[in-house]
Amino acid sequence: MSAEFPYVRPRRLRTTPAMRRMVAQTRLHPAELILPLFVREGIGEPVPISAMPGVVQHTRDTLRKAAVQAAEAGLGGLMLFGVPAVQDATGSEGTNPDGILQKAIRDVVSEVGDSIVVMSDLCLDEYTDHGHCGVLAADGSVDNDATLARYAEMAVVQADAGVHLVGPSGMMDGQIGVVRRALDQAGHLDTGILAYTAKYASAFFGPFREAVGSSLQGDRKSYQQDPANAREALRELALDVAEGADLVMVKPAMAYLDILRQVADASPVPVSAYQVSGEYSMVEAAAANGWIDRERTILETLTSIRRAGAEQILTYWAVEAAAMLR
Ligand code: PBG
């Protein structure tokens, strides 16, 4: 190297932990983390989800405790999924005021009040015996508009139970507008919507099927987005915002960071990302084999998702990550 160069040394800003901390552009905070939780009807003990080591289907009782723990960890929110004892063609339990999710919402809200944002999945796949996110037409296809009527009812029973935000995740056209109108007509003006805006037909949802006992045969390609496409994410964003979404989401997260960046740049409302079951399981499996450093990998994935533009992250590691951040 000549005597003159290098004058410019980017490494100066990497020399000490204090220096790196001071110049870090992306910071994670527990308040940005949202914990997904599963509650299953009719069980006496939590049931481990084998494809998601460390994650369980909760009883109503252990769900309450997990919600309190999440609030104490300073998390931003909870996303509740119900696993009913009985499934049928129209997903009746999803609109039963005494269905497992509605009971769980009441339990959790009575426990944590307004100390953490309580959200619920608004979708039929946990409740249908065919496993699709909607009801089926006579030809076996997923009937968009008949499904919207079911979602409107679901929104109202969930809001009646006291949830703060509903999370429509079925990717039916018009779902945000229909849910907004149903909530307003029922007087739930302050119940918000976290829209699953750009949700892809992804293999990364694999372990979730076990988590909710879904019996899906086939796939969701006729309603969820094609992984090959970016532009339609922005089209979905424009529609969801026009229909009244309070927050929007990109899902999965890590294989879709480019989508997240584009949506974050274009969105007038907060943008969330869902680090889904398969993302969790991949890291857990590699770490269990000693192939990667588990904690560093967890924080690196979350930091990357944040850096790409997510303001909230749904992650199964939320409580643990909050502890690591403290
Ligand atoms: C639909 C829903 C799914 C997930 C969240 N909401 C499954 C799907 O669309 O196939 C996946 C979450 C995960 O994989 O962690 N109710």
Side-chain angles (χ1 to χ4, degrees), residues 220-233:
R220 307 197 196 287
K221 291 179 184 169
S222 76
Y223 43 105
Q224 298 179 343
Q225 288 177 220
D226 188 329
N229 296 345
R231 190 179 284 124
E232 66 182 322

Side-chain angles (χ1 to χ4, degrees), residues 81 121 123 125-126 133 169 196 199 204-205 208-209 220 224 251 274-278 316:
F81 293 89
D121 190 54
C123 194
D125 63 317
E126 298 95 323
C133 294
S169 65
Y196 284 59
K199 181 174 180 184
F204 289 103
F205 303 151
F208 179 89
R209 302 278 152 82
R220 307 197 196 287
Q224 298 179 343
K251 181 183 174 192
Y274 197 144
Q275 181 175 56
V276 302
S277 56
Y316 299 98

Side-chain angles (χ1 to χ4, degrees), residues 182-199:
L183 289 171
D184 287 354
Q185 282 173 357
H188 293 298
L189 300 179
D190 286 335
T191 306
I193 303 176
L194 166 55
Y196 284 59
T197 292
K199 181 174 180 184

Side-chain angles (χ1 to χ4, degrees), residues 21-313:
R21 187 180 65 217
M22 186 181 77
V23 302
Q25 278 186 274
T26 306
R27 293 177 207 281
L28 291 170
H29 193 280
E32 298 161 346
L33 302 178
I34 299 168
L35 178 68
L37 288 167
F38 304 102
V39 57
R40 178 166 162 188
E41 190 170 33
I43 52 172
E45 292 292 324
V47 176
I49 300 162
S50 64
M52 299 177 74
V55 180
V56 301
Q57 295 173 324
H58 282 285
T59 68
R60 283 177 64 186
D61 193 47
T62 65
L63 181 78
R64 283 171 176 267
K65 295 187 176 115
V68 170
Q69 191 195 22
E72 285 171 357
L75 300 190
L78 304 170
M79 175 62 78
L80 306 179
F81 293 89
V83 184
V86 185
Q87 299 171 323
D88 63 18
T90 57
S92 307
E93 284 302 301
T95 48
N96 176 355
D98 286 320
I100 183 64
L101 180 58
Q102 286 66 250
K103 283 181 172 156
I105 292 169
R106 278 187 216 104
D107 289 343
V108 166
V109 169
S110 77
E111 200 75 54
V112 299
D114 290 338
S115 66
I116 185 169
V117 180
V118 181
M119 305 173 230
S120 49
D121 190 54
L122 200 170
C123 194
L124 283 171
D125 63 317
E126 298 95 323
Y127 303 96
T128 54
D129 53 11
H130 45 72
H132 274 294
C133 294
V135 293
L136 304 183
D139 66 0
S141 64
V142 176
D143 185 333
N144 192 89
D145 296 13
T147 300
L148 293 181
R150 302 286 298 127
Y151 288 178
E153 270 187 75
M154 285 186 90
V156 174
V157 294
Q158 293 180 7
D160 285 347
V163 84
H164 300 124
L165 296 174
V166 294
S169 65
M171 291 301 282
M172 295 299 130
D173 292 336
Q175 64 182 12
I176 303 306
V178 163
V179 164
R180 183 69 268 156
R181 192 167 341 115
L183 289 171
D184 287 354
Q185 282 173 357
H188 293 298
L189 300 179
D190 286 335
T191 306
I193 303 176
L194 166 55
Y196 284 59
T197 292
K199 181 174 180 184
Y200 285 85
S202 174
F204 289 103
F205 303 151
F208 179 89
R209 302 278 152 82
E210 180 193 343
V212 298
S214 169
S215 43
L216 181 73
Q217 303 287 321
D219 58 55
R220 307 197 196 287
K221 291 179 184 169
S222 76
Y223 43 105
Q224 298 179 343
Q225 288 177 220
D226 188 329
N229 296 345
R231 190 179 284 124
E232 66 182 322
L234 296 176
R235 191 179 193 206
E236 293 281 4
L237 170 67
L239 288 168
D240 283 1
V241 169
E243 291 174 30
D246 296 287
L247 302 91
V248 295
M249 189 206 290
V250 173
K251 181 183 174 192
M254 226 161 61
Y256 297 87
L257 295 182
D258 59 324
I259 306 297
L260 190 51
R261 170 44 61 199
Q262 290 181 53
V263 169
D265 285 346
S267 179
V269 298
V271 177
S272 306
Y274 197 144
Q275 181 175 56
V276 302
S277 56
E279 299 180 68
Y280 173 90
S281 302
M282 280 198 306
V283 172
E284 290 291 344
N289 277 291
W291 296 338
I292 54 173
D293 179 321
R294 184 173 173 279
E295 294 199 357
R296 281 187 62 195
T297 306
I298 291 170
L299 289 179
E300 185 175 335
T301 62
L302 294 172
T303 300
S304 303
I305 294 164
R306 183 81 185 81
R307 191 194 63 233
E311 295 157 276
Q312 299 79 35
I313 305 174

